[in-house]
């Protein structure tokens, strides 16, 4: 397994046997995707033009907020999850960058170095294959395989946010969305103690209301009795949409496969392809190929407000 480059010099991680992880930042051009964008996101030339123009005006009126308003791909990244309604997009965008302005918190200064332990332990992973609906699959270890003394919850959330930003820049992911599979095998009280209610509320609110991602499903596997204690911390903060998109599968992978086809999943989740126990450092190498994207991001946001710790 290694970092390689294709014929267009696009980097990818080669897991062997034709399985690879590669980001795709090209706009989709196939007719089914365009039709889906029209039907689900109201993405037509007229709506796009009017929405981008209006959102640009709103941003320019927010004097403390500096953003690349002439970058159409940036604008569409935020408009797509809000179905091209500029006013609601603007509210989400402000909240997103207010969160990034908080120092030493969940989404500021995201670098591979800042989440190296989480990458090394594979606490959060982007699975190499999309699901049958074209959605990205993020996999999280929240049980016995999560060493929370080495990788505290803050780093897990920061790692998740960085990986979400990587896939969230892909036009295909903006269209099709993201699903999570979370493994709670042998969850313990030491894991649960990593999530005080105030922190949980901030993280859940950010994910539900303030982030430009289409979360289409959260699939929980190996949830035993201890999970019920854990879930009670989260449940009060869940809105209607997320509540309806959480699925508890226990140890029944057949139930998971009703939502995500087996050929889209590794064998550890009852799927049909093998995903080796890879070194997390190679994922860091892939992310660092796009280091300039994150350095560019640091030029934008709220700069005159008081930073919070």
């Amino acid at each position: 397994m290694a970092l390689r480059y294709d014929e267009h010099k696009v980097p990818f991680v080669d897991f062997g046997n034709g399985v690879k992880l590669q980001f795709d930042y090209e706009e989709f051009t196939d007719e089914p995707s365009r039709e889906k964008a029209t039907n689900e996101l109201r993405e037509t030339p007229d709506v796009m033009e009017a929405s981008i123009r209006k959102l640009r005006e709103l941003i320019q009126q927010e004097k403390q907020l500096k953003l690349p308003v002439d970058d159409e791909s940036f604008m569409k990244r935020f408009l797509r999850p809000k179905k091209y309604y500029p006013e609601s997009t603007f509210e989400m965008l402000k909240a997103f960058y207010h969160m990034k302005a908080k120092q030493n918190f969940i989404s500021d200064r995201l670098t591979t170095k800042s989440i190296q332990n989480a990458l090394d332990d594979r606490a959060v992973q982007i699975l190499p294959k999309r699901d049958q609906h074209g959605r990205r699959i993020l996999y999280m270890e929240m049980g016995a395989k999560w060493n929370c003394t080495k990788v505290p919850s803050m780093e897990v959330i920061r790692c998740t946010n960085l990986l979400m930003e990587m896939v969230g820049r892909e036009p295909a992911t903006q269209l099709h969305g993201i699903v999570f599979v979370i493994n709670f095998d042998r969850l313990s009280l030491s894991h649960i103690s990593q999530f005080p209610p105030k922190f949980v509320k901030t993280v859940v609110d950010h994910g539900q209301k303030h982030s430009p991602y289409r979360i289409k499903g959260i699939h929980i596997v190996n949830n035993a009795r201890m999970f019920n204690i854990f879930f009670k911390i989260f449940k009060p903060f869940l809105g209607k949409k997320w509540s309806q998109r959480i699925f508890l599968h226990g140890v029944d992978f057949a139930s998971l496969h009703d939502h995500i086809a087996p050929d889209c999943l590794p064998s550890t989740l009852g799927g049909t392809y093998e995903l080796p126990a890879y070194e997390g450092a190679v994922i860091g190498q892939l992310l660092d190929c796009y280091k300039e994207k994150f350095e560019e991001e640091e030029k934008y946001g709220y700069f005159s407000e008081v930073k919070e710790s």
Side-chain angles (χ1 to χ4, degrees):
M1 186 198 68
L3 181 71
R4 305 187 188 281
Y5 293 83
D6 68 13
E7 64 274 18
H8 304 293
K9 299 184 178 180
V10 178
F12 66 94
V13 174
D14 184 1
F15 293 104
N17 296 319
V19 178
K20 66 179 183 179
L21 173 62
Q22 185 172 39
F23 300 121
D24 180 6
Y25 295 118
E26 298 296 322
E27 275 291 336
F28 48 81
T29 57
D30 60 289
E31 192 56 36
S33 293
R34 286 180 171 178
E35 184 175 343
K36 182 176 181 178
T38 298
N39 294 335
E40 292 191 12
L41 307 182
R42 304 190 315 129
E43 188 168 300
T44 65
D46 289 346
V47 170
M48 287 170 58
E49 181 182 356
S51 298
I52 290 174
R53 182 173 62 250
K54 178 61 177 178
L55 180 58
R56 183 179 293 123
E57 292 172 358
L58 292 169
I59 293 171
Q60 290 172 336
Q61 292 170 14
E62 186 82 354
K63 300 301 183 183
Q64 295 177 325
L65 182 59
K66 179 185 177 183
L67 295 175
V69 294
D70 294 323
D71 183 345
E72 186 174 296
S73 64
F74 173 88
M75 303 291 271
K76 287 195 291 187
R77 176 188 166 203
F78 285 89
L79 282 162
R80 278 172 167 155
K82 289 297 184 180
K83 300 184 179 181
Y84 283 90
Y85 290 104
E87 290 81 7
S88 57
T89 300
F90 182 53
E91 293 305 313
M92 176 188 66
L93 192 150
K94 287 191 296 181
F96 180 80
Y97 279 99
H98 275 301
M99 183 63 74
K100 286 185 75 71
K102 296 183 179 183
Q103 288 188 352
N104 303 315
F105 203 45
I106 64 173
S107 60
D108 64 304
R109 302 175 186 176
L110 294 174
T111 63
T112 54
K113 184 177 180 180
S114 71
I115 60 164
Q116 193 60 55
N117 288 331
L119 292 176
D120 288 345
D121 278 21
R122 304 191 299 279
V124 191
Q125 306 172 42
I126 304 171
L127 296 186
K129 294 189 178 184
R130 294 176 180 267
D131 77 358
Q132 68 272 27
H133 304 294
R135 302 175 296 194
R136 276 292 188 189
I137 307 172
L138 266 67
Y139 177 70
M140 301 181 70
E141 292 283 6
M142 298 294 287
K145 292 184 180 179
W146 172 31
N147 182 352
C148 57
T149 59
K150 178 183 176 183
V151 188
S153 59
M154 182 71 78
E155 185 169 342
V156 171
I157 298 303
R158 286 177 60 79
C159 183
T160 303
N161 282 336
L162 189 147
L163 297 181
M164 291 278 279
E165 289 207 19
M166 290 301 300
V167 299
R169 286 175 163 83
E170 297 178 299
T173 304
Q174 294 164 13
L175 172 62
H176 300 301
I178 298 168
V179 292
F180 281 85
V181 179
I182 309 177
N183 181 20
F184 282 95
D185 184 34
R186 288 179 287 162
L187 176 72
S188 70
L189 287 174
S190 61
H191 295 122
I192 294 173
S193 67
Q194 289 279 317
F195 291 94
K198 184 178 179 180
F199 179 61
V200 168
K201 184 181 188 307
T202 299
V203 170
V204 172
D205 281 351
H206 183 64
Q208 289 183 123
K209 306 172 185 177
H210 306 153
S211 299
Y213 312 116
R214 305 185 74 200
I215 308 300
K216 309 300 287 187
I218 300 172
H219 298 274
I220 309 298
V221 297
N222 294 316
N223 49 293
R225 184 180 302 174
M226 193 67 72
F227 174 80
N228 295 329
I229 300 173
F230 180 79
F231 192 59
K232 286 180 179 178
I233 304 173
F234 279 78
K235 193 171 182 179
F237 309 119
L238 295 173
K240 181 179 179 180
K241 183 178 289 187
W242 271 28
S243 295
Q244 293 174 338
R245 294 181 179 179
I246 294 176
F247 303 92
L248 307 180
H249 302 291
V251 296
D252 184 9
F253 288 151
S255 172
L256 174 64
H257 299 161
D258 287 340
H259 299 267
I260 304 175
D263 60 358
C264 305
L265 293 169
S267 58
T268 51
L269 292 170
T272 60
Y273 72 87
E274 296 300 322
L275 186 62
Y278 60 87
E279 294 290 332
V282 75
I283 303 301
Q285 294 171 17
L286 176 63
L287 299 177
D288 279 339
C289 291
Y290 299 93
K291 187 176 180 180
E292 290 182 1
K293 287 182 179 290
F294 290 94
E295 291 176 344
E296 184 73 14
E297 178 70 24
E298 292 302 315
K299 300 177 183 178
Y300 306 121
Y302 284 100
F303 293 101
S304 59
E305 66 181 39
V306 176
K307 299 285 187 179
E308 300 179 36
S309 59

